[in-house]
Amino acid sequence: MVLDTPRPIAAILHWRVTWFLARLALVSAYLLGGVVKLTDWQGAVAEQAHFGLQPAALFAALTIAAELVGPALILLDRLAWLGAGMLGVFTLLAAFVANDFWTMQGQERFMATNAFFEHLGLVGGFVLVAIVSLQRAHRDA
């Protein structure tokens, strides 16, 4: 049996503000991270060095760019596929660099495994943003 979405839920899902708030929720941590790194350059460079990324300043600049440009494209719903791709690739790379659970034991492994798969869930969210943005563009054309 196929169940239709209840009308009140469908109405909420069709609101433009819902589309914007969902995208804002998805990218909020990236926006905050980009602003914090931009205002604490030394901390941003130190973070990259901590993860063994060299030259740390270059990786800090690339991280800040991804964390600010990607969300802007998604929130503006202009080239959302590009912003989603930027953040999806960034998030996937970060998952492997920062959450290498396969090298850990005990509680550390448990926590890193959870974080790794949370990152994969975010990647899926970015793919969905690109899909929905494309569908909305075709619908509105």
Side-chain angles (χ1 to χ4, degrees), residues 75-124:
L75 290 174
L76 293 170
D77 204 9
R78 299 288 183 257
L79 300 176
W81 63 269
L82 179 60
M86 289 172 66
L87 291 177
V89 169
F90 170 79
T91 301
L92 189 60
L93 292 174
F96 281 100
V97 170
N99 300 298
D100 55 343
F101 64 90
W102 52 91
T103 67
M104 302 173 185
Q105 299 296 320
Q107 184 66 18
E108 184 183 34
R109 180 184 178 107
F110 176 80
M111 294 177 65
T113 301
N114 284 342
F116 182 88
F117 285 96
E118 288 170 357
H119 280 76
L120 288 185
L122 287 168
V123 172

Side-chain angles (χ1 to χ4, degrees), residues 30-53:
Y30 298 89
L31 281 173
L32 180 61
V35 169
V36 167
K37 287 173 184 72
L38 191 60
T39 60
D40 180 12
W41 175 251
Q42 294 304 326
V45 173
E47 179 183 47
Q48 301 305 311
H50 167 77
F51 289 114
L53 300 172

Side-chain angles (χ1 to χ4, degrees), residues 57-70:
L58 173 62
F59 281 99
L62 292 172
T63 297
I64 292 167
E67 289 185 329
L68 295 178
V69 174

Side-chain angles (χ1 to χ4, degrees), residues 1-2 4 15 21 24 36 80 86 103 109 128:
M1 176 200 298
V2 176
D4 289 355
W15 288 344
L21 290 175
L24 180 60
V36 167
M86 289 172 66
T103 67
R109 180 184 178 107
L128 290 174

